[in-house]
Amino acid sequence: MIWKSVGGSTTTTDSMFRRDDFLVIAGVVILALALRIYTFPIARVIAADGISYVNIARSIFRGEGFSGTVHYPPVFPLLIGLMNVLVGDDELAGKLVSMVMGTALVVPVYLLAKTLFSRQTAVVAALLVALSPALAKLSSEVLTQSTYLTLVLTALFCLWRSVELLQRRWGIAAGLLFGAAYLTRPEAIIILVATLLLFFVVPIVARNCAKRHLTVLCFVLGGFLVLAVPYILLLHDLTGAWQLSGKSSVTLADSLGWYLDRPDMKREPSFAGIGYMDVIRKYPDFIWKNSVHNIKALWDETLPVYIWLLMLLGMVAGTARAGWLRSRLLILCACSPLLVLIVFFFLGNVYTAPFLPFFLIFAAQGLVALQTLLQKIPALCAERPLSRFMLRLPFAAIAGVILGVIMLQPHLSFGTTKPYHYADDGARYDHKLIGKMLKQQLPKRSVVMARDARLTFYADMSRVDIPQAGFDEILNEARKNHARYIVADGTLLGARPQMLPLLSPLLSSSLKGLIIVKGEGYRPVPDLRLVLLYSDPASAGVAVYEFLE
């Protein structure tokens, strides 16, 4: 009874693939690629997490092993390393991987939407995904989202085919793809568990083709475990604990730190990690306050109101079709990690991006439902040439393109851009420029203490992080880690006010440009000497100190 209430097979003649489908997919892929080529230069600075992915890729391909994958799973770094063999530039390799996978994303979106809903829905969904400004921008970032989405949507398509046809080959493909998605972003395992419970365990318990469901379930799990188990064993070997991901503690500290007004909580010397149960037990108010904040942010910042309304319409439209509930439950299962994010983390565009294709599939279904309603208007049903022409127009696809362009338009720039100022992006690009300057001015491969990882990434130097501690403790940390230089950029005034002695020359100097300090120079402490000072109205500026010992 439980399984029958969910509905039977949804396989229809519309779910079969024709030559026209390949032509449509090819056209949308070309559109997606063109937009992603246009947006490729927008991300001119590597993301903070991107630095870690690049460093892991370097470590793996230097033969140093996978020890860096505790916090960041290995699939994306491996793809960066393979692409780097072709292009010879780590950052460019990461951007190209994201662009290729972000362009390919429209293919599984089309396949899944057509299988679950209709060909019309598939066309509109693929167009909306191709034109999504958030997804286009992520396709130029050294981040995992584009790769993860392409893997997980392809996995869901294969899983759905395995459910419909109860064939082992689809089950194996789904398991392997879910394993690859998990090794890209660990939340894929939440989607896997939710879908397996609903589409395999429920019919097994209900004795609905139980033996065949159990067989396919074993193949799905087998494919997944082939890839997942080695990584889980590696995590246990490196951390001494059984866990599915090593990053949760750090990410939890980020969100909890802002709630407690301790934004650098994870850099405090006393910080020893935090888990979900620690948050629930110690900070119960955080749970509901954070959830309310995130739900509001999700509505306000993720999508325009008209897309949300179309999405809601798409969720409830088409209930007369056989198996309508199952198709919607699959999409909702794909969004299940969002519940964890809403409760425990601070939502932003990067966090919500892995759910955008699923939202847009529902929105596409909403547009198709509107088209169906319009075609029932008596004036359009009349036997007149104009009426017949209007009925043949693909209203949903045209509306999808128009809405996509409307969403995209604010992000397009056809004129000259204004001069850069570090306040425009929180000094991200400024840190890139300073890092490249340090690469030219300081000895190669120096060990440098700096707060922002971009500085040392573009300087091509080893980095020691600046802890959230007293001034003397910071200096001792630098000495202990054999840092030769301390880089004090202007943004430290707010993040590390205790480092004011190092920032004084930067704040008091009326000189502009790069100054190489000769001789004794300014010494905030006896063994630390100012060697370089850079100041510019558009830059946060930087003061660089060298340890004399």
Side-chain angles (χ1 to χ4, degrees):
M1 291 298 293
I2 297 174
W3 183 242
K4 289 180 180 179
S5 68
V6 177
S9 173
T10 60
T11 302
T12 66
T13 56
D14 195 44
S15 69
M16 304 302 293
F17 298 102
R18 310 189 301 261
R19 182 170 178 268
D20 289 350
D21 292 307
F22 295 103
L23 294 176
V24 171
I25 289 172
V28 179
V29 165
I30 292 171
L31 173 64
L33 178 61
L35 179 58
R36 280 146 184 79
I37 290 174
Y38 173 84
T39 59
F40 195 76
I42 291 177
R44 54 183 181 176
V45 183
I46 193 168
D49 283 354
I51 296 170
S52 297
Y53 295 124
V54 167
N55 287 335
I56 293 169
R58 290 173 178 173
S59 178
I60 293 173
F61 280 79
R62 284 197 299 256
E64 297 170 2
F66 289 80
S67 60
T69 61
V70 171
H71 294 121
Y72 299 91
V75 161
F76 190 57
L78 283 170
L79 293 176
I80 292 174
L82 291 173
M83 183 66 76
N84 187 46
V85 173
L86 299 177
V87 300
D89 182 295
D90 297 299
E91 183 180 5
L92 177 61
K95 288 165 66 73
L96 286 173
V97 169
S98 291
M99 187 178 77
V100 170
M101 299 301 276
T103 301
L105 173 61
V106 298
V107 178
V109 166
Y110 183 93
L111 296 176
L112 186 63
K114 182 175 182 183
T115 305
L116 294 180
F117 298 104
S118 68
R119 186 173 187 270
Q120 289 179 311
T121 301
V123 172
V124 180
L127 286 170
L128 288 174
V129 168
L131 294 170
S132 167
L135 294 175
K137 185 177 183 300
L138 281 171
S139 296
S140 66
E141 295 270 11
V142 187
L143 291 172
T144 58
Q145 279 80 353
S146 296
T147 301
Y148 167 78
L149 278 171
T150 301
L151 290 172
V152 84
L153 272 140
T154 309
L156 285 167
F157 170 72
C158 293
L159 184 76
W160 185 259
R161 298 296 287 174
S162 74
V163 170
E164 294 295 295
L165 304 175
L166 291 177
Q167 292 181 352
R168 300 171 184 177
R169 58 177 181 171
W170 288 108
I172 294 173
L176 291 172
L177 285 162
F178 266 116
Y182 162 68
L183 294 178
T184 306
R185 294 181 66 88
E187 58 260 36
I189 199 169
I190 301 175
I191 301 176
L192 177 64
V193 171
T195 51
L196 291 185
L197 285 174
L198 185 63
F199 293 102
F200 285 98
V201 175
V202 169
I204 290 171
V205 172
R207 299 183 182 278
N208 187 314
C209 297
K211 184 176 180 181
R212 295 184 67 189
H213 277 94
L214 181 60
T215 301
V216 177
L217 173 62
C218 291
F219 277 88
V220 175
L221 288 174
F224 173 76
L225 293 174
V226 163
L227 295 180
V229 167
Y231 180 63
I232 294 172
L233 293 174
L234 175 67
L235 287 178
H236 180 264
D237 183 58
L238 294 173
T239 66
W242 292 108
Q243 54 185 326
L244 298 173
S245 170
K247 193 181 178 184
S248 298
S249 176
V250 176
T251 314
L252 275 172
D254 285 335
S255 55
L256 188 61
W258 286 110
Y259 171 74
L260 298 174
D261 197 24
R262 291 160 56 191
D264 261 346
M265 179 178 175
K266 64 185 179 185
R267 289 187 170 98
E268 296 173 2
S270 60
F271 178 70
I274 191 168
Y276 293 104
M277 294 308 298
D278 296 322
V279 174
I280 295 171
R281 186 170 55 253
K282 297 178 181 178
Y283 309 102
D285 285 351
F286 168 79
I287 301 298
W288 70 267
K289 288 181 180 179
N290 193 56
S291 299
V292 170
H293 171 272
N294 281 334
I295 291 171
K296 185 177 184 303
L298 182 68
W299 177 268
D300 292 341
E301 301 172 14
T302 305
L303 289 167
V305 173
Y306 53 83
I307 297 293
W308 283 121
L309 295 178
L310 286 171
M311 174 184 158
L312 294 174
L313 176 61
M315 292 176 68
V316 300
T319 55
R321 184 182 178 184
W324 69 273
L325 182 57
R326 295 176 69 204
S327 61
R328 283 145 182 84
L329 287 176
L330 182 76
I331 301 295
L332 293 176
C333 285
C335 297
S336 53
L338 185 60
L339 295 175
V340 179
L341 293 177
I342 287 174
V343 174
F344 290 101
F345 302 99
F346 276 171
L347 287 188
N349 290 334
V350 173
Y351 284 103
T352 55
F355 308 100
L356 284 179
F358 306 111
F359 296 163
L360 293 176
I361 288 174
F362 273 140
Q365 176 67 5
L367 279 173
V368 172
L370 280 179
Q371 174 179 287
T372 303
L373 292 174
L374 287 173
Q375 290 173 341
K376 293 179 180 179
I377 296 175
L380 294 178
C381 296
E383 288 295 325
R384 294 195 296 268
L386 180 61
S387 298
R388 289 194 294 270
F389 171 74
M390 295 293 288
L391 286 174
R392 284 197 295 268
L393 280 178
F395 283 110
I398 294 171
V401 171
I402 293 172
L403 292 179
V405 171
I406 290 173
M407 287 191 293
L408 187 63
Q409 190 275 330
H411 303 271
L412 299 177
S413 174
F414 299 102
T416 57
T417 57
K418 66 176 184 177
Y420 174 76
H421 189 274
Y422 75 92
D424 296 340
D425 61 356
R428 287 162 53 97
Y429 186 61
D430 188 37
H431 286 152
K432 176 179 180 177
L433 297 177
I434 291 173
K436 289 190 170 184
M437 178 187 66
L438 297 181
K439 185 176 183 178
Q440 295 178 341
Q441 300 298 330
L442 301 183
K444 291 182 179 180
R445 309 294 182 182
S446 296
V447 180
V448 176
M449 172 173 269
R451 182 174 181 270
D452 194 283
R454 292 182 189 89
L455 284 167
T456 49
F457 176 79
Y458 288 107
D460 195 18
M461 296 177 184
S462 300
R463 171 174 167 263
V464 178
D465 196 8
I466 302 178
Q468 184 61 279
F471 183 61
D472 291 338
E473 292 176 273
I474 291 173
L475 296 182
N476 289 334
E477 182 73 10
R479 296 185 186 102
K480 184 178 73 174
N481 288 278
H482 309 291
R484 181 174 177 181
Y485 296 97
I486 294 183
V487 176
D489 70 277
T491 62
L492 287 178
L493 189 60
R496 297 289 189 279
Q498 63 270 42
M499 295 185 69
L500 183 60
L502 303 187
L503 295 168
S504 295
L506 187 63
L507 300 175
S508 60
S509 175
S510 59
L511 299 175
K512 304 302 178 187
L514 176 64
I515 303 169
I516 307 297
V517 182
K518 304 291 185 180
E520 289 295 317
Y522 168 67
R523 295 193 182 190
V525 294
D527 65 338
L528 197 63
R529 180 177 69 89
L530 178 68
V531 294
L532 184 150
L533 190 67
Y534 175 75
S535 179
D536 186 273
S539 170
V542 66
V544 180
Y545 295 82
E546 181 182 16
F547 281 101
L548 300 180
E549 294 181 359

